Amino acid sequence: MPPPITLLTDFGIDDAYAAVMKGVILTRDPRATLVDITHAIEPQNIRHGAFVLATAYRYFPKNTIHVAVVDPGVGGERRGIILKVAGSLFVAPDNGLLTYVIDQLNLNDDVVPDSGTEATMIRLKRGIEAVSITDPRFWRTPVSPTFHGRDVFAPVAAGLSLGLSPYEFGEKTDVLTVLPITRPQRMGPGETVGQVMHIDHFGNLVSDIRSSDLPPGPVEVYIAGCRIDGISHNYLGSGELLAILGSSGYLEISLRNGSAARYLEALVGDEVSVRAIA
Amino acid sequence: MPPPITLLTDFGIDDAYAAVMKGVILTRDPRATLVDITHAIEPQNIRHGAFVLATAYRYFPKNTIHVAVVDPGVGGERRGIILKVAGSLFVAPDNGLLTYVIDQLNLNDDVVPDSGTEATMIRLKRGIEAVSITDPRFWRTPVSPTFHGRDVFAPVAAGLSLGLSPYEFGEKTDVLTVLPITRPQRMGPGETVGQVMHIDHFGNLVSDIRSSDLPPGPVEVYIAGCRIDGISHNYLGSGELLAILGSSGYLEISLRNGSAARYLEALVGDEVSVRAIA
Amino acid sequence: MPPPITLLTDFGIDDAYAAVMKGVILTRDPRATLVDITHAIEPQNIRHGAFVLATAYRYFPKNTIHVAVVDPGVGGERRGIILKVAGSLFVAPDNGLLTYVIDQLNLNDDVVPDSGTEATMIRLKRGIEAVSITDPRFWRTPVSPTFHGRDVFAPVAAGLSLGLSPYEFGEKTDVLTVLPITRPQRMGPGETVGQVMHIDHFGNLVSDIRSSDLPPGPVEVYIAGCRIDGISHNYLGSGELLAILGSSGYLEISLRNGSAARYLEALVGDEVSVRAIA
């Protein structure tokens, strides 16, 4: 029984695009176990896809193949890549979709930029296995210039599922594309300022602040002009608005039995500040 | 080949939460067949989840494991439970999510309350197997106080899929939490008054009135000030607005080729009355 | 390992209807591999379902069983059918849901009408295997007059998955129902006029114009009063609005990094014109 293959795309679930990728995979490896991570990534929003992918991959079995397709540059010069790291294989366009995976697993030798909006190439640490998908032997032909998910990435994933080495699909590369990642700033010992990275289905505001970024001792959290007293251990604390270390390890702002995003009219990029109580 | 594992949650399909539960299950039992019932339960709406679960479980293979997570009390005092009944295993927070399953299968010794809004504990009939999930051996650690779906319920489901007895996961209990269930009222022999329990994807209004609740002979159905003449056998009867005994056994109000909910501006809780024709 | 079973319906994913079909299938064939094509077909829109089905089936493994249920006539006189063609089995109500499959595979002996709105019966070519589902042996009983997906089509699909011949389920038929299909018109050698057939998740406007319908040489594309200069090879051409031969073989109008449908306020049925440059 081969490891699962996961799919993350911005294809939506109204059309057959995601299903077509599954059909191509099952045609080549009928034993494949397919799991949708999501197909609701905002169209062409690579950063959104990169973030959701990074919240998911670590919970899958060893050697799971993660196929991610958010691909505004399809049909152009951007490469397709395979990245093999401890326990996971990733198949994706080389456009920054693996940014948070690379950052979390500390695969980069060069520093991932923390400002700007442009994607940049960074060098990987020695020993990291990455492959540029260049060998057309496994592709469907002719390759549609608008649907590499079907004609390139799905066939490559099926080939990996069948046990082929990543090196069968192209040449080793030691650089990959990343997007800049904002980091929370320590404003002296008593304050950390971060921002909202993601808003989830419940309207929870997921910030980029981790436990290790917090000032020591009791704190207050500020967002959108609201003050939250302390960090709660669950959704049952006093007060309606809560700050809590969420299940992905980031500080989240939640509204008890409601949507913090709607209540605060908050957006991705909004500032979140944590201050030690004087 | 183990029985399927179904998932019903309020997690939505935009984030990776549901996929993460699948990853955890497949890590522990790679043979698992996973089926989504839905992830579109209204956030924190236990009653909604309880109703949809009760429309689905009976159509799955014997010994199917149904994991249901609508869990506003996660991280607090509420228990996790396993309920084993003829042909099905349920894994869920003990917050009323199994109310309609318990009621349909007549598992309760105490009466399920028919008014009020508070959840209450009821005693199960002798011989019903229910387990309070208390043994942390199978949980992921540390357990996130906000995501027991990932750290408790998915691992327990995988353990059951591997063939472990429910009693491996905690101690037998003979009480479970239920929500009050409204029942249609007989207003003398000629009239039954019920209410809309659920509005489905097509805008059909699913009431709590069953065939056995109907007055004998020809009837009229009243809803939102509209009169419907008789109960149709299919969607093809005369008239635009139809009353029909739906596929789950409840009386439904439908609009031919349209949404009765939108047409009538109807809501869950609206009154539905069936009167014998004088 | 049996071939996959795909599901395409207008049931949505908020209720358990699609899951119930899966439960019924897995009860009868626990080995079944189930793949959702989509459950987001517009309610009762047979043409929409027919189009999406026709974009998907060819990418699945040989002998895949495609179950399609968009069924406003459920419970009435319309037949259920099985259609077996090179590499695929279809199970569906006989209401036009297979129109584009029949047209693409050229299964019809009679001409598929190109105007009007009514469904019509057409004769199939000799040798095409189609079966009218009339034998209740495999159905769930009693059959709900509103949910043949659960009680007829799912059981038939499971039976086919178990290896039964289509002829076990009813009698051979040589006529099937189709909807009229509009065709692009050649207005002399220099112009082709078609229409928008489908709007996808990205807001791409999928027309009914194929490569072979295009005038020779350089062209301009007109839609909603906008002129598009030439046909692009990918989404990276100059200009914001692009015409491109999409992954299904039809001419599509796209907006770079945006929704052409929203930008042009376009609807299914809008005219698309391609003119040779004078």
Side-chain angles (χ1 to χ4, degrees), chain B residues 1 4 13 33 35-38 40 52 55-56 59-61 198-202 233-236 244 246-248 257-258, chain C residues 10-17 19-20 22-24 26-27 30-31 39 43-44 72-76 140 144-147 150:
Chain B
M1 176 161 285
I13 57 167
T33 298
V35 180
D36 295 313
I37 292 184
T38 183
V52 176
T55 65
Y59 301 103
F60 280 84
H198 180 70
I199 298 177
D200 79 4
H201 174 72
F202 295 96
H233 293 296
N234 57 41
Y235 296 130
L236 306 168
I244 194 165
S247 59
S248 299
N257 292 326
Chain C
D10 61 352
F11 294 167
I13 58 168
D14 297 0
D15 300 299
Y17 300 133
V20 161
K22 295 178 189 179
V24 169
L26 289 169
T27 298
R31 309 161 308 157
H39 299 290
Q44 286 105 30
V74 62
R140 294 184 80 255
S144 162
T146 62
F147 197 1
R150 179 188 71 191

Side-chain angles (χ1 to χ4, degrees), chain A residues 206-256:
Chain A
V206 184
S207 79
D208 56 0
I209 300 172
R210 291 166 185 278
S211 172
S212 56
D213 299 317
L214 295 173
V219 297
E220 296 170 328
V221 177
Y222 290 83
I223 179 160
C226 290
R227 194 186 69 82
I228 300 168
D229 188 18
I231 292 175
S232 300
H233 294 295
N234 57 42
Y235 295 130
L236 307 167
S238 63
E240 290 303 297
L241 213 52
L242 304 165
I244 194 164
L245 283 163
S247 58
S248 298
Y250 297 106
L251 189 72
E252 301 182 10
I253 313 300
S254 301
L255 185 72
R256 190 128 49 103

Side-chain angles (χ1 to χ4, degrees), chain C residues 52-71:
Chain C
V52 175
L53 179 62
T55 66
Y57 69 92
R58 78 187 72 183
Y59 301 104
F60 280 84
K62 194 162 154 54
N63 297 325
T64 292
I65 298 157
H66 300 285
V67 186
V69 187
V70 181
D71 197 9

Side-chain angles (χ1 to χ4, degrees), chain C residues 60-138:
Chain C
F60 280 84
K62 194 162 154 54
N63 297 325
T64 292
I65 298 157
H66 300 285
V67 186
V69 187
V70 181
D71 197 9
V74 62
E77 294 296 307
R78 71 101 190 92
R79 305 180 303 171
I81 46 164
I82 302 168
L83 175 64
K84 184 175 182 182
V85 293
S88 302
L89 276 156
F90 296 90
V91 180
D94 181 32
N95 60 12
L97 202 43
L98 303 185
T99 299
Y100 292 100
V101 169
I102 291 167
D103 186 56
Q104 283 182 6
L105 295 173
N106 198 19
L107 309 181
N108 47 306
D109 199 9
D110 292 342
V111 172
V112 177
D114 66 358
S115 65
T117 57
E118 296 292 303
T120 50
M121 302 284 280
I122 52 116
R123 191 162 300 277
L124 298 170
K125 285 198 173 125
R126 191 192 296 257
I128 302 299
E129 294 184 69
V131 168
S132 182
I133 300 171
T134 51
D135 190 331
R137 269 183 303 158
F138 300 94

Side-chain angles (χ1 to χ4, degrees), chain B residues 10 44-45 53 76 80 89 92 96 98 115 129 143 152-153 156 170 194 197 199 227 259 263-264 271:
Chain B
D10 61 352
Q44 286 104 30
N45 190 333
L53 180 61
L89 276 156
L98 303 185
S115 66
E129 294 184 69
V143 171
V152 177
F153 298 120
V156 168
M197 251 195 317
I199 298 177
R227 195 185 68 83
S259 163
Y263 179 75
L264 296 172
E271 187 177 299

